[in-house]
Amino acid sequence: MNLDTSPLERAIQRLAEGWDRYQQDTNDLQIRDGLIQRFEFTYEISHKTLKRYLEATAANPQAIDAMVFADLIRTANEQGLLLGSWPNWRNYREMRSKTSHTYEESIALEVVDGIPAFLDEARHLFEQLQQRQS
């Protein structure tokens, strides 16, 4: 199996760069907004890459395709692909759904607060996928 994980790798790098830049000045709203956009993108790429991997390695890819998000995460967790379990990923999903409301200061800060844990999760997923393809 040859799954292209380079988009995930680039997204993680950009998110990490955004996080580092934000840490230099947490009052810079433009940097914060960019960081949140990078989180959105990295979340979406992580989810899609995870699903592609599970479909490619499943005995029944259609069953993976038909899974609700919670079952997809549970399946990935059972395979050791993720650091966190369903409650963690439910939180990341909720963060992602709130990103369209980040003009509200409290929501923006809530999303930003969850980015370090998500970044660890995305890095872990990438490393697991890399190891399994070598």
Side-chain angles (χ1 to χ4, degrees):
M1 188 198 77
N2 190 15
L3 179 68
D4 183 9
T5 57
S6 61
L8 177 58
E9 181 178 28
R10 284 191 302 274
I12 291 167
Q13 288 170 347
R14 297 298 177 273
L15 182 58
E17 289 167 3
W19 179 254
D20 291 343
R21 182 101 182 263
Y22 176 72
Q23 293 306 298
Q24 294 171 19
D25 181 3
T26 58
N27 295 313
D28 187 330
L29 300 183
Q30 190 173 17
I31 297 297
R32 184 183 72 193
D33 292 349
L35 175 62
I36 290 169
Q37 285 183 326
R38 287 180 180 197
F39 161 73
E40 290 175 313
F41 183 74
T42 306
Y43 172 84
E44 296 297 333
I45 295 274
S46 296
H47 176 225
K48 288 176 184 175
T49 305
L50 175 61
K51 187 173 182 181
R52 281 188 205 117
Y53 174 81
L54 290 174
E55 287 174 345
T57 58
N60 182 357
Q62 293 78 19
I64 300 292
D65 189 50
M67 281 184 181
V68 297
F69 185 71
D71 291 339
L72 187 77
I73 295 304
R74 286 185 188 105
T75 300
N77 198 294
E78 289 167 3
Q79 294 185 25
L81 291 165
L82 305 175
L83 280 174
S85 59
W86 167 236
N88 301 84
W89 278 85
R90 182 179 53 226
N91 182 52
Y92 304 141
R93 189 173 204 183
E94 288 169 1
M95 284 169 52
R96 171 59 184 97
S97 70
K98 291 177 181 179
T99 58
S100 61
H101 303 287
T102 55
Y103 53 85
E104 292 181 38
E105 184 75 8
S106 62
I107 293 175
L109 292 173
E110 183 182 331
V111 170
V112 167
D113 284 346
I115 288 176
F118 174 76
L119 189 53
D120 289 344
E121 185 71 65
R123 284 177 173 146
H124 181 79
L125 172 60
F126 175 74
E127 290 165 5
Q128 290 301 310
L129 295 175
Q130 287 297 104
Q131 287 175 11
R132 292 163 194 229
Q133 292 193 92
S134 356

